[in-house]
Amino acid sequence: MRSEVVRQEQVLIEVGLVSLWIKEMNYQEMENYTRVTEFILVGLSRHPTSQSVVFWTLMFLYIATLAGNSLIIFLVGGNSQLHTPMYFFLGNLSLLDLLFSTSAVPLIMVNSLYNFSTISYSSCFTQLAIRAFLALTECFLLAIMAYDRLVAITNPLRYNLVMSSQVCIFMALVAWMAALLLTVLPILLFPISFCGHNAVNHFSCEVQAIFKLLCSNTISLEIMMMACAVISMPVPLIFILISYLCILKAVLRIHPTEARLKAFSTCGSHLIVVTIYFGTLICIYVRPQSKTSHNGDKIVSIFYAAVTPMLNPLIYTLRNKDVKAALRRVTCRVKY
């Protein structure tokens, strides 16, 4: 017991010394305008007793995310009954969740175990750009999935013609390419600089935490980022809301109650995913920003990076009869 107390005291002393060193280093670099070449990720360094809890929790969530999304991709690709526009976009969504979680969670897991781990400037911005690209793509993809449900319910006789395989592939490519363009443009047009402060109060290179460290003129960059944010989040969200208002109007015209519920049930999973995803984005980005980071930002970021990608396959699997039927066929095939 005494040795454990001594060890915890040593960790706290180490944390205190490193914190003082960071402040002194940042002050000196601010005075001399030293170029920042790496960032220090604070994470849970000031709360060492919570590090192992965060690590094992993220481990469980990441394994569940890999298993769930890989299963969806396998089922959609391997079952001819699921070769429809709705499940084509669902496969894209699972791929996005898989890539997004992989781009963030393993690094957060590693950083949660170390006190004040470091990451190079280039690695930090590579990770930041990849995460932004995948997040923007998912915004556009969710809007496309809402359009798919709109066509399926309001114009079922021409659904296969309107949402042909060529059209679906084109729409998916547009979503990926538009997200890539919106990610690259701010980086190319507005180079940024740091003049000393390099301690990031986060687990990873989160855009909000990095933005607090800028010392260059950020007005043009903020305008550009705001324009990209409006295109990538409010516009898809408004499109989704309008699509579901049209769907609701069409469903209410269906007279048999059973048919009405069946028509609207095909949209339930997508509505839940949209609510969780955009709700989390709004909590992170659509609120006043300050120059100081809070632990609440870290919790919301972990939910966004680890929990949301895990929930999507669960939502679609538990609520979707076609996916459950495909899963039963695969299970029976394995047994025999």
Side-chain angles (χ1 to χ4, degrees), residues 79-224:
N79 288 267
S80 57
Q81 292 86 349
L82 299 182
H83 290 175
T84 63
M86 175 181 173
Y87 296 108
F88 169 75
F89 294 126
L90 177 57
N92 272 263
L93 180 65
S94 293
L95 178 62
L96 278 170
D97 287 334
L98 199 63
L99 294 175
F100 185 82
S101 184
T102 301
S103 70
V105 176
L107 179 63
I108 296 175
M109 288 169 58
V110 172
N111 291 337
S112 68
L113 292 178
Y114 292 95
N115 292 327
F116 303 102
S117 58
T118 60
I119 183 172
S120 68
Y121 182 94
S122 57
S123 298
C124 181
F125 275 88
T126 298
Q127 184 200 46
L128 192 147
I130 291 173
R131 291 182 63 184
F133 163 61
L134 296 172
L136 295 180
T137 306
E138 187 154 344
C139 289
F140 295 135
L141 187 64
L142 289 173
I144 292 172
M145 294 174 75
Y147 175 74
D148 171 71
R149 291 298 84 208
L150 175 64
V151 176
I153 292 175
T154 59
N155 200 354
L157 297 178
R158 300 184 67 247
Y159 175 67
N160 291 328
L161 179 63
V162 175
M163 300 299 293
S164 64
S165 58
Q166 293 85 355
V167 171
C168 291
I169 294 172
F170 173 76
M171 293 174 75
L173 286 175
V174 168
W176 287 82
M177 296 307 297
L180 180 62
L181 185 64
L182 289 173
T183 303
V184 171
L185 273 180
I187 298 174
L188 295 179
L189 296 180
F190 301 100
I192 58 178
S193 61
F194 301 85
C195 53
H197 292 288
N198 66 339
V200 181
N201 188 21
H202 220 285
F203 296 102
S204 60
C205 292
E206 176 64 35
V207 61
Q208 298 299 85
I210 294 293
F211 197 78
K212 299 178 193 300
L213 306 179
L214 292 176
C215 66
S216 55
N217 187 1
T218 61
I219 296 176
S220 299
L221 178 61
E222 287 180 23
I223 294 173
M224 185 66 181

Side-chain angles (χ1 to χ4, degrees), residues 1 16 46 74 121 124 126 178 201 221 241 248 270 286 301 317:
M1 179 66 71
R46 298 189 177 96
F74 171 75
Y121 182 94
C124 181
T126 298
N201 188 21
L221 178 61
L241 293 176
L248 181 62
H270 182 256
V286 186
S301 180
T317 302

Side-chain angles (χ1 to χ4, degrees), residues 9 11 13-14 17 24 28 37 39 62 69 81 84 92 94 133 148 150 154 198 207 247 252 255 258 277 300 316:
E9 289 178 351
V11 170
I13 292 172
E14 177 188 350
L17 290 174
E24 179 65 21
Q28 291 175 356
T37 59
F39 294 99
Y62 184 57
N69 287 288
Q81 292 86 349
T84 63
N92 272 263
S94 293
F133 163 61
D148 171 71
L150 175 64
T154 59
N198 66 339
V207 61
I247 289 172
L252 291 177
H255 293 295
E258 294 80 6
Y277 186 77
V300 176
Y316 277 101

Side-chain angles (χ1 to χ4, degrees), residues 276-309:
I276 294 173
Y277 186 77
F278 281 97
T280 309
L281 283 180
I282 290 170
C283 288
I284 295 175
Y285 299 110
V286 186
R287 57 187 176 86
Q289 299 298 322
S290 62
K291 280 292 182 180
T292 58
S293 298
H294 304 284
N295 289 330
D297 299 338
K298 302 178 190 178
I299 296 172
V300 176
S301 180
I302 287 179
F303 182 89
Y304 175 57
V307 179
T308 303

Side-chain angles (χ1 to χ4, degrees), residues 20-36:
L20 291 173
W21 172 73
I22 290 174
K23 292 178 181 178
E24 179 65 21
M25 178 188 62
N26 285 339
Y27 173 77
Q28 291 175 356
E29 289 189 344
M30 191 69 179
E31 289 295 319
N32 299 324
Y33 293 95
T34 304
R35 182 175 179 269
V36 173

